[in-house]
Amino acid sequence: MTIYRDVLSAVVRCLAAECIDNTAKQAWQKLYSAHADEGAGIEVLGRLGGAEVIDNNLVDCLVFTVLHKKLKERHWHALAAKYSTHKARKVEAIGKLLPLIATPAPKLFLYKAVTAWAVPKLKGARVQLAPTVSVDIPVDASPSKQAAIIKAALAADQVRRKRIESRSADMIVLPDSFYDMSTWDPDAHSERTRREWRQKIHAVLDEMVSEALKEAEAILHEEGLLLSEAA
């Protein structure tokens, strides 16, 4: 059975499991709900679900279910906003966090500050696809051979484009202008004020994540799923 090296890797993996197999996750949620009062652990739940072998993906789904049920709501949403790669889950979590943060900043500023924290600006997140394809064609090749080379190059480029577009579709990538704080504040407060607001909002969110990871670590300790328990 999977043993995680630390709580963060467990959280990241179980949240990623939602994107890989949402149907399996929902099935394990129902199973957990049915046996939660009996104190059934992850290994027992796996057996109850008819799993002959509790593989890594299954454990990730079970950990997702257990953390979702046992963590405080604000802690679950903080982890989902910070680490989930599931678009809908991340957007939902951001919305759930907004009412929990006290700030003198306008609502627009709060929304954009929380979103920028959950979806930080990443270098290289946008892949520019060239509008043309370069092909080396031997000058002494026959017309049919040249046509075949061009056809193969175009097919390979199409596959590459689909792979890149598919990968980008799984990410939330915000335009660069979103991170410009001057667009967050309709009342045009000073740069110093805006920076202070952002710093305090992010500090509250970071504290929530730290608390959530500590709580998740205690839950995983109980299940014996951390490396220290396996040693």
Side-chain angles (χ1 to χ4, degrees):
M1 188 166 70
T2 299
I3 300 295
Y4 301 101
R5 69 177 182 272
D6 54 45
V7 64
L8 182 57
S9 63
V11 167
V12 170
R13 281 186 49 174
C14 81
L15 286 170
E18 180 173 33
C19 294
I20 298 170
D21 193 350
N22 193 47
T23 302
K25 175 185 66 63
Q26 291 173 350
W28 291 115
Q29 283 179 336
K30 291 179 181 178
L31 183 65
Y32 179 82
S33 296
H35 296 277
D37 293 338
E38 302 170 17
I42 284 178
E43 188 165 6
V44 173
L45 286 173
R47 302 304 179 196
L48 288 171
E52 295 182 2
V53 178
I54 305 180
D55 61 16
N56 293 351
N57 292 334
L58 174 55
V59 175
D60 291 340
C61 287
L62 288 169
V63 168
F64 179 103
T65 300
V66 171
L67 292 182
H68 190 201
K69 293 290 183 181
K70 290 189 175 184
L71 285 174
K72 294 181 179 69
E73 280 193 17
R74 69 177 183 277
H75 289 160
W76 172 256
H77 293 314
L79 293 179
K82 186 70 172 177
Y83 300 115
S84 179
T85 54
H86 188 282
K87 283 185 177 180
R89 174 75 62 186
K90 201 174 191 77
V91 170
E92 177 191 31
I94 290 170
K96 295 290 187 180
L97 291 173
L98 294 176
L100 304 179
I101 301 173
T103 176
K107 289 184 178 180
L108 176 63
F109 191 100
L110 173 61
Y111 162 72
K112 289 205 168 187
V114 174
T115 303
W117 171 84
V119 188
K121 187 176 181 180
L122 299 175
K123 293 182 179 179
R126 296 171 184 77
V127 179
Q128 299 296 327
L129 295 173
T132 59
V133 179
S134 297
V135 186
D136 293 326
I137 303 176
V139 293
D140 57 347
S142 65
S144 60
K145 181 66 173 178
Q146 291 178 349
I149 292 172
I150 293 172
K151 183 177 180 180
L154 290 173
D157 182 69
Q158 187 175 21
V159 170
R160 183 182 68 87
R161 286 172 181 270
K162 286 182 177 180
R163 184 175 66 250
I164 292 173
E165 289 169 357
S166 174
R167 184 176 60 198
S168 298
D170 292 334
M171 300 170 58
I172 298 178
V173 180
L174 301 173
D176 291 343
S177 59
F178 187 94
Y179 301 93
D180 179 0
M181 278 197 299
S182 65
T183 67
W184 302 6
D185 178 19
D187 297 325
H189 289 82
S190 68
E191 178 73 8
R192 179 178 179 181
T193 297
R194 292 196 295 258
R195 287 181 180 277
E196 183 179 354
W197 285 345
R198 183 181 62 181
Q199 186 274 327
K200 289 182 177 180
I201 290 169
H202 288 186
V204 170
L205 293 166
D206 289 338
E207 184 178 4
M208 275 193 219
V209 168
S210 295
E211 292 173 353
L213 290 174
K214 288 179 181 178
E215 192 176 344
E217 186 174 33
I219 293 169
L220 294 174
H221 273 309
E222 291 178 3
E223 297 289 348
L225 291 175
L226 294 179
L227 192 60
S228 58
E229 279 76 33

